[in-house]
């Protein structure tokens, strides 16, 4: 039995040269880049390396900026601590100078006040000496009066003033009422006597004056009206 031979039609028009490269009908090489897997991998690796280099450069730049910021922050903190210490020293020195000045002023005021009291002591000593040679009560009384006057003057010299009372209207901020006495209507609310003198130091009350206050007598219905 004979087998008939027949040809299978082929439509593949690809051509290859002696190097195995694909060529067109004119003999030019048309080898595709994708046909070389090693070449494609090399290109991908090159792109990845470039990207890694860029990321490393960015990371290095960020690290340098962070280190520079930290160094600047350390410098600012050191400067702040230095200024703070300087301010604390200056404040302490100023406080010390102020305290010293206030102490000196207080001592000067005490000195001036004590100096004004010395004449009072002199008058007391004179009154005592006079009473030893002259038993007259009148002379002793005059000596005591002079001493009291000199003491009041000493108080005035340092700013202490007596509070007016007798004949003045009663003021609860300056006067302390010890008792009340019946008076005519026109003297109602006025101070009629002083038991202890009060004093002020500038605008500050040292002590109130103890006084007697007049209160108008209540008229009965049978008494004629004025």
């Amino acid at each position: 039995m004979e087998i008939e031979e027949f040809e299978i039609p082929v439509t593949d028009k690809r051509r290859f040269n002696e190097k195995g490269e694909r060529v067109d009908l004119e003999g030019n090489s048309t080898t595709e880049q994708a046909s070389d897997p090693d070449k494609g991998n090399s290109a991908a690796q090159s792109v990845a390396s470039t990207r890694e280099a860029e990321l490393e450069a960015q990371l290095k730049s960020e690290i340098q900026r962070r280190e520079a910021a930290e160094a600047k922050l350390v410098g600012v903190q050191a400067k702040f601590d230095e200024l703070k210490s300087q301010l604390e020293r200056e404040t302490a020195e100023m406080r010390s100078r102020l305290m010293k000045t206030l102490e000196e002023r207080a001592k000067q005021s005490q000195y001036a006040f004590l100096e004004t009291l010395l004449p009072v002591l002199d008058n007391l000593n004179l009154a005592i000496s006079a009473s030893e040679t002259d038993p007259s009560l009148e002379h002793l009384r005059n000596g005591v009066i002079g001493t009291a006057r000199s003491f009041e003057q000493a108080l005035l010299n340092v700013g202490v003033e007596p509070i007016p009372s007798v004949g003045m209207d009663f003021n609860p901020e300056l006067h302390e009422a010890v008792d009340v006495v019946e008076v005519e209507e026109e003297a109602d609310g006025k101070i009629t006597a002083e038991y202890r003198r009060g004093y002020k130091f500038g605008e500050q009350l040292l002590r109130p004056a103890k006084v007697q206050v007049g209160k108008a007598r209540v008229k009965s219905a049978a008494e004629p009206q004025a």
Side-chain angles (χ1 to χ4, degrees), residues 4-216:
E4 295 181 358
E5 297 180 355
F6 60 91
E7 295 181 354
I8 300 174
V10 179
T11 59
D12 188 0
K13 297 181 180 180
R14 291 179 296 180
R15 299 291 185 270
F16 298 91
N17 60 16
E18 64 277 6
K19 296 181 180 180
E21 296 176 344
R22 184 178 177 180
V23 296
D24 56 16
L25 295 177
E26 297 178 356
N28 296 324
S29 175
T30 59
T31 304
E32 297 178 357
Q33 182 177 359
S35 63
D36 188 353
D38 293 338
K39 187 175 181 181
N41 292 336
S42 176
Q45 291 176 356
S46 177
V47 173
S49 298
T50 302
R51 182 57 179 166
E52 290 178 358
E54 292 177 353
L55 292 176
E56 289 180 356
Q58 292 179 0
L59 178 60
K60 183 177 180 181
S61 177
E62 290 297 328
I63 292 175
Q64 290 176 347
R65 287 200 302 173
R66 179 179 60 81
E67 291 177 347
E70 290 178 351
K72 185 176 181 179
L73 179 61
V74 171
V76 171
Q77 183 65 40
K79 186 65 176 178
F80 173 77
D81 293 339
E82 180 182 355
L83 292 176
K84 180 181 178 182
S85 299
Q86 181 180 355
L87 180 61
E88 290 176 349
R89 290 194 303 271
E90 292 177 353
T91 302
E93 293 174 357
M94 183 180 299
R95 185 183 298 111
S96 178
R97 290 196 299 268
L98 180 60
M99 291 298 297
K100 185 176 181 180
T101 300
L102 292 176
E103 290 176 356
E104 290 177 352
R105 289 182 179 178
K107 289 181 180 179
Q108 186 65 30
S109 298
Q110 292 173 354
Y111 174 84
F113 178 67
L114 294 174
E115 188 178 21
T116 60
L117 291 182
L118 292 179
V120 179
L121 181 59
D122 293 337
N123 289 335
L124 285 174
N125 289 329
L126 288 175
I128 293 172
S129 298
S131 65
E132 293 176 351
T133 58
D134 186 356
S136 172
L137 293 177
E138 184 66 22
H139 292 167
L140 180 60
R141 179 177 178 274
N142 292 336
V144 173
I145 292 174
T147 302
R149 296 291 181 268
S150 63
F151 186 74
E152 288 181 350
Q153 185 60 46
L155 293 178
L156 289 173
N157 291 339
V158 296
V160 178
E161 299 179 358
I163 297 174
S165 56
V166 177
M168 305 295 295
D169 291 332
F170 176 77
N171 184 348
E173 295 182 358
L174 301 176
H175 307 119
E176 178 183 349
V178 176
D179 60 7
V180 178
V181 63
E182 191 176 83
V183 294
E184 297 298 329
E185 186 175 355
E186 61 271 12
D188 184 53
K190 293 189 177 297
I191 298 173
T192 57
E194 180 184 74
Y195 300 124
R196 188 190 68 180
R197 184 165 295 182
Y199 293 93
K200 293 193 308 179
F201 181 65
E203 296 299 324
Q204 184 177 0
L205 179 66
L206 288 178
R207 72 177 189 186
K210 290 187 176 183
V211 297
Q212 180 186 74
V213 182
K215 184 175 179 58

